[in-house]
Amino acid sequence: MDELVALCKRRGFIFQSNEIYGGLQGLYDYGPLGVELKNNLKQSWWSSMVYERDDIEGIDTSILTHPEVLKNSGHEDTFTDPLIDCKSCKSRWRADEVNSNKCPKCNSTDLTEPRPFNLMFKTKLGPLDDNGNFAYLRPETAQNIFTNFKNIVDTTSRELPFGIAQIGKAFRNEITPRNFIFRVREFEQMEMEFFVRPGDDEKWYSKWVNLRMDWWRKQGLSNNLSSIDVPKCDLAHYSKATTDIMYKFPHGVEELEGIANRKDFDLGSHTKNQSDFDIQSNVSNNISSNSKLAMMCRDSKKWIVPFVIEPSAGLDRGVLAVLTESYTDEKIDGDSSRIVLKLPKHLSPIKAAIIPLKKNNPDIVNKAKEIKSMLQKLGLGRIILENTGNIGKSYRKHDEVGTPICITIDFDTLEKNTVTIRDRDSMNQEIINVKDLNDRFADLIL
Ligand code: GAP
């Protein structure tokens, strides 16, 4: 982990947030390369969910959330971690971090009993400092998918089964944020709520577990990926079954994504007129909702509250997993070695570096700019001009940030219209004609 954190800082992937003022625990900023990597992972998820399927719509909802949403979802009462205070050194711990009734920091046994600590952040709305006038920062993106259910059905005329996907920020006041971007207080989720007929839920649940495992494999994670069925006693209050997709992070095997069969808990909790429906989950009485979150069954002509299968992935954990998997310290020629990020090419922050052989030769530099601009127009991601004048150093840098190819512009480019392409993984070099570059480029980086 230390090597990965150092590389992320050195090369501009991820920085501690607010560092110039000492930093804030559990918050990180994505730098120039981190934002590209994160966007590429998001884009891959969005394509697989929304573009490549015909049964899922995308949305983007507000972060500030009406307290009634999180009251009726159960978050106000149950979204808690048990917290233990050390009376001696005043440190705070999640109960599962305290072993043998001793403070992990000072070893004191003078500890409080565990008490529930709600993880949601609150903020006031409007200018009045009035307790009744507040909103929550959403602790998951899922809830505003449910509250938009009727809007989506009305505007898209969807029939069951169909899904709604969203990527966005979520906030949790974690008691002990740690392990770099693994457990943080502000993070992004990629969540999809797939609505199905009751009775079809188990079939779709298995299907989504397989689809999600396949997607993570396509992000390059095959070696260290596994899944576990969450034991009944550990299931969340809304869940009939949950599978956790696990990844072997540098600090241990931990959850990357959860796929849950949430039955009719969510739409049943947020709908008006609950008693009109045969809601199977144990939901609290809702007296505030003004919307009927149900669909007419075509065959029976009865109104039903759909069941929900939810694949819910952490984007930051995805970035950490992808970086972990691709970080390679590779021996080359005898004693020397190189650090190379063997990222799947669709995730690489930079698709190609264009390197002029001589940084002060205007003809070579202008030709490099021309080629950069030609490739950039293909719209396949970020291409950069790397004008350091030191080819070896440029190769090393681009190995470390996972750039799939480097293209060197030299005197032959001016005379014979050829460039040298160097492959990140094999380090093989190939000379090709510039007129073939556009066509070859897509093959080389996709
Ligand atoms: N809507 C269901 C839900 O939010 P969750 O298991 O609490 O379920 C889903 O969260 C995913 O969000 C997790 O699998 C994890 O990848 C990510 N996640 C949760 N808490 C996180 C945190 N504090 N920091 C980073 N990622 C987190």
Side-chain angles (χ1 to χ4, degrees):
M1 183 74 104
D2 290 346
E3 284 172 35
L4 202 58
V5 174
L7 176 109
C8 283
K9 178 153 192 197
R10 186 169 72 244
R11 292 299 187 190
F13 281 90
I14 299 166
F15 309 116
Q16 167 83 62
S17 198
N18 302 275
E19 199 173 10
I20 66 164
Y21 291 107
L24 264 180
Q25 224 198 338
L27 299 176
Y28 287 90
D29 296 335
Y30 286 78
L33 299 188
V35 68
E36 298 290 343
L37 171 58
K38 189 154 86 146
N39 282 343
N40 290 341
L41 195 56
K42 278 190 211 182
Q43 192 50 50
S44 175
W45 186 90
W46 193 262
S47 291
S48 78
M49 286 290 179
V50 184
Y51 296 171
E52 290 161 26
R53 300 183 61 94
D54 297 316
D55 53 3
I56 298 183
E57 302 285 352
I59 57 169
D60 181 23
T61 72
S62 72
I63 285 170
L64 294 180
T65 306
H66 198 304
E68 282 294 327
V69 173
L70 294 155
K71 179 178 156 206
N72 286 293
S73 66
H75 283 82
E76 277 193 345
D77 289 337
T78 60
F79 199 60
T80 57
D81 266 351
L83 169 82
I84 291 177
D85 283 303
C86 171
K87 292 186 198 162
S88 181
C89 73
K90 310 290 178 219
S91 59
R92 296 193 136 174
W93 304 95
R94 282 205 328 262
D96 63 336
E97 295 171 320
V98 175
N99 295 320
S100 330
N101 283 329
K102 275 192 185 155
C103 168
K105 189 170 170 196
C106 72
N107 277 335
S108 164
T109 51
D110 193 8
L111 306 175
T112 62
E113 286 299 311
R115 62 197 164 83
F117 172 76
N118 196 298
L119 300 178
M120 289 196 294
F121 286 102
K122 265 182 185 179
T123 188
K124 69 179 173 126
L125 285 184
L128 292 180
D129 211 354
D130 162 3
N131 268 349
N133 221 3
F134 74 95
Y136 289 111
L137 272 64
R138 66 184 178 199
E140 59 176 17
T141 60
Q143 291 307 318
N144 276 346
I145 295 184
F146 302 126
T147 60
N148 273 287
F149 179 77
K150 189 169 173 346
N151 288 333
I152 307 302
V153 171
D154 289 350
T155 52
T156 64
S157 307
R158 286 282 177 189
E159 300 279 345
L160 295 175
F162 77 95
I164 305 176
Q166 168 159 238
I167 300 176
K169 290 261 181 175
F171 301 81
R172 298 183 187 179
N173 196 4
E174 297 285 354
I175 300 165
T176 43
R178 60 178 172 178
N179 294 321
F180 195 31
I181 51 171
F182 178 81
R183 186 180 304 285
V184 282
R185 291 185 168 135
E186 174 177 340
F187 55 100
E188 279 188 84
Q189 289 185 315
M190 305 184 287
E191 295 199 296
M192 196 277 294
E193 309 299 328
F194 199 75
F195 301 99
V196 302
R197 261 175 240 279
D200 287 350
D201 53 311
E202 291 183 7
K203 179 183 81 190
W204 276 105
Y205 171 70
S206 314
K207 226 180 210 179
W208 275 111
V209 170
N210 291 333
L211 285 170
R212 295 304 304 147
M213 287 292 284
D214 284 349
W215 183 81
W216 283 114
R217 285 190 199 102
K218 284 190 193 136
Q219 311 317 307
L221 302 191
S222 31
N223 288 341
N224 296 306
L225 208 56
S226 57
S227 68
I228 54 161
D229 294 335
V230 175
K232 282 256 174 300
C233 57
D234 292 338
L235 288 177
H237 60 284
Y238 51 73
S239 172
K240 174 173 166 184
T242 297
T243 297
D244 282 344
I245 297 183
M246 310 293 281
Y247 182 74
K248 193 167 161 219
F249 290 98
H251 62 280
V253 176
E254 294 230 44
E255 179 187 332
L256 177 61
E257 167 164 354
I259 297 112
N261 180 346
R262 301 175 69 118
K263 299 188 293 177
D264 53 3
F265 178 82
D266 305 286
L267 295 182
S269 294
H270 288 301
T271 188
K272 73 173 182 182
N273 302 345
Q274 287 164 313
S275 56
D276 289 355
F277 311 108
D278 178 22
I279 298 172
Q280 297 181 32
S281 299
N282 187 9
V283 298
S284 306
N285 188 20
N286 187 327
I287 49 166
S288 326
S289 170
N290 58 24
S291 185
K292 178 160 84 173
L293 304 184
M295 292 181 87
M296 167 86 82
C297 176
R298 257 201 197 155
D299 307 332
S300 67
K301 302 285 179 242
K302 269 176 63 180
W303 285 91
I304 55 166
V305 176
F307 274 30
V308 176
I309 309 302
E310 175 196 66
S312 169
L315 178 58
D316 306 77
R317 287 188 190 179
V319 169
L320 183 58
V322 161
L323 285 170
T324 305
E325 186 86 21
S326 56
Y327 184 94
T328 314
D329 190 347
E330 193 174 74
K331 285 259 160 302
I332 39 170
D333 312 333
D335 279 351
S336 58
S337 65
R338 64 170 184 156
I339 304 292
V340 51
L341 270 192
K342 294 197 168 177
L343 288 167
K345 293 167 186 174
H346 69 281
L347 296 181
S348 290
I350 298 168
K351 302 303 178 195
I354 315 296
I355 310 173
L357 180 71
K358 299 269 179 211
K359 75 173 186 183
N360 296 323
N361 181 312
D363 293 338
I364 290 185
V365 173
N366 285 338
K367 189 72 188 166
K369 286 182 180 166
E370 208 181 283
I371 288 174
K372 188 241 147 163
S373 158
M374 175 184 91
L375 293 178
Q376 193 63 70
K377 283 194 187 116
L378 298 176
L380 295 171
R382 189 165 184 209
I383 317 287
I384 72 161
L385 184 78
E386 188 64 67
N387 197 13
T388 59
N390 184 331
I391 304 268
K393 231 176 165 175
S394 298
Y395 284 168
R396 242 186 340 271
K397 169 180 167 186
H398 284 282
D399 284 346
E400 272 199 22
V401 304
T403 307
I405 57 169
C406 289
I407 301 174
T408 303
I409 313 303
D410 54 20
F411 291 104
D412 277 352
T413 317
L414 303 178
E415 285 158 25
K416 300 185 198 153
N417 207 30
T418 58
V419 291
T420 305
I421 294 186
R422 185 246 192 198
D423 178 81
R424 177 193 71 196
D425 297 341
S426 65
M427 294 188 287
N428 288 341
Q429 301 194 12
E430 186 191 355
I431 295 173
I432 72 164
N433 199 294
V434 173
K435 70 178 167 32
D436 299 326
L437 200 51
N438 267 351
D439 286 346
R440 282 294 307 283
F441 186 58
D443 293 344
L444 288 167
I445 64 146
L446 292 180

